[in-house]
């Protein structure tokens, strides 16, 4: 285990198994259709690549990059799109792929933006769901894991751009992470 982790929540093996199960469910639900996977950079990319490879339906990939609107996120949920999608999603089946849903405020903003572009369908698929912290009711259709109200890193999730490449998801020691 990495020395900065307090505890491992999910090993790489557990993550891979769960992604496989989820991919099976999604492939069944979208049988005969093509899905646009819209991924929020950068944290969700690790989840996306494994999920996309495990799907048996045709998919197209597109990416969004966002930043909090003001330094220190004094206005939670107010985000700015730094990089928009490359393709039109009108009349397409779209799945928004997220690394983690916490308060849900970021997702609410993104869903508003994307639904305004009139996709035929729009659902959310998140790697981690920190349900106890939810402030707004967001429809999360697919989730890999529910997690407790702790700050986690690994498998794409960072703290100050570190720990993304850890093969597991773990709780960061509180001496390292303060204030979230
Ligand atoms: P929300 O708007 O749902 O509160 O914010 C979600 C964003 O907060 C995520 O995309 C992620 O950047 C950050 N976040 C929330 N909880 C965690 C966590 O436990 N670990 C990490 N690394 N980021 C988190």
């Amino acid at each position: 285990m990495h020395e900065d982790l307090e505890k491992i929540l999910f090993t790489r093996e557990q993550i891979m198994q769960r992604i496989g199960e989820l991919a099976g469910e999604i492939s069944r639900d979208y049988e005969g259709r093509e899905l646009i996977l819209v991924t929020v950079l950068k944290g969700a990319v690790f989840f996306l690549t494994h999920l996309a490879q495990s799907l048996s339906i045709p998919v197209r990939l597109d990416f969004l990059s966002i930043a909090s609107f003001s330094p220190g996120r004094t206005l939670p949920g107010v985000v700015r799109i730094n990089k928009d999608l490359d393709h039109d999603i009108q009349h397409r089946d779209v799945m928004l792929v997220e690394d983690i849903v916490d308060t849900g405020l970021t997702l609410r903003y993104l869903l508003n933006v994307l639904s305004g572009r009139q996709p035929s369908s729009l659902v959310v698929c998140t790697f981690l769901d920190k349900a106890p912290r939810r402030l707004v009711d967001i429809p999360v259709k697919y989730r890999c894991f529910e997690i407790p109200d702790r700050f986690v890193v690994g498998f794409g999730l960072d703290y100050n751009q570190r720990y993304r490449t850890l093969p597991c998801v773990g709780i960061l020691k509180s001496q390292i992470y303060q204030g979230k």
Side-chain angles (χ1 to χ4, degrees):
M1 180 165 85
H2 191 288
E3 59 183 10
D4 292 351
L5 294 183
E6 177 187 313
K7 184 184 174 190
I8 291 178
L9 289 182
F10 310 109
T11 63
R12 182 183 165 84
E13 291 68 36
Q14 290 169 325
I15 294 169
M16 291 305 165
Q17 193 194 335
R18 180 68 191 120
I19 291 178
E21 286 168 13
L22 197 65
E25 194 183 328
I26 295 168
S27 301
R28 282 191 294 279
D29 290 353
Y30 286 87
E31 200 181 343
R33 291 147 78 188
E34 184 185 68
L35 191 55
I36 315 280
L37 299 177
V38 169
T39 304
V40 184
L41 296 170
K42 309 171 190 169
V45 168
F46 290 71
F47 171 48
L48 165 80
T49 53
H50 292 99
L51 179 73
Q53 285 186 330
S54 307
L55 290 169
S56 58
I57 49 162
V59 293
R60 290 176 190 237
L61 308 183
D62 212 334
F63 297 89
L64 273 175
S65 173
I66 58 171
S68 55
F69 189 70
S70 50
R73 297 195 75 181
T74 48
L75 291 171
V78 180
V79 296
R80 181 185 63 204
I81 293 183
N82 278 344
K83 184 224 165 285
D84 207 337
L85 299 178
D86 292 329
H87 303 104
D88 192 4
I89 56 167
Q90 192 179 22
H91 307 318
R92 312 301 301 256
D93 290 312
V94 176
M95 179 180 287
L96 185 56
V97 180
E98 263 285 17
D99 51 357
I100 183 165
V101 186
D102 185 17
T103 62
L105 291 166
T106 306
L107 206 51
R108 181 173 67 177
Y109 172 84
L110 291 176
L111 286 175
N112 278 340
V113 170
L114 295 180
S115 60
R117 299 179 186 182
Q118 300 169 319
S120 340
S121 66
L122 175 62
V123 298
V124 173
C125 177
T126 187
F127 177 47
L128 302 177
D129 187 353
K130 209 189 269 185
R133 293 246 315 161
R134 199 76 91 253
L135 290 179
V136 287
D137 190 22
I138 290 294
V140 176
K141 178 97 192 259
Y142 303 101
R143 62 177 62 72
C144 259
F145 301 106
E146 284 212 17
I147 60 164
D149 183 10
R150 300 296 306 276
F151 192 79
V152 299
V153 293
F155 213 85
L157 287 116
D158 74 310
Y159 174 59
N160 282 346
Q161 299 301 322
R162 293 182 63 205
Y163 312 110
R164 281 195 204 282
T165 53
L166 287 181
C168 61
V169 171
I171 297 174
L172 195 60
K173 280 184 180 164
S174 52
Q175 303 94 287
I176 293 155
Y177 165 69
Q178 290 141 4
K180 262 237 161 182

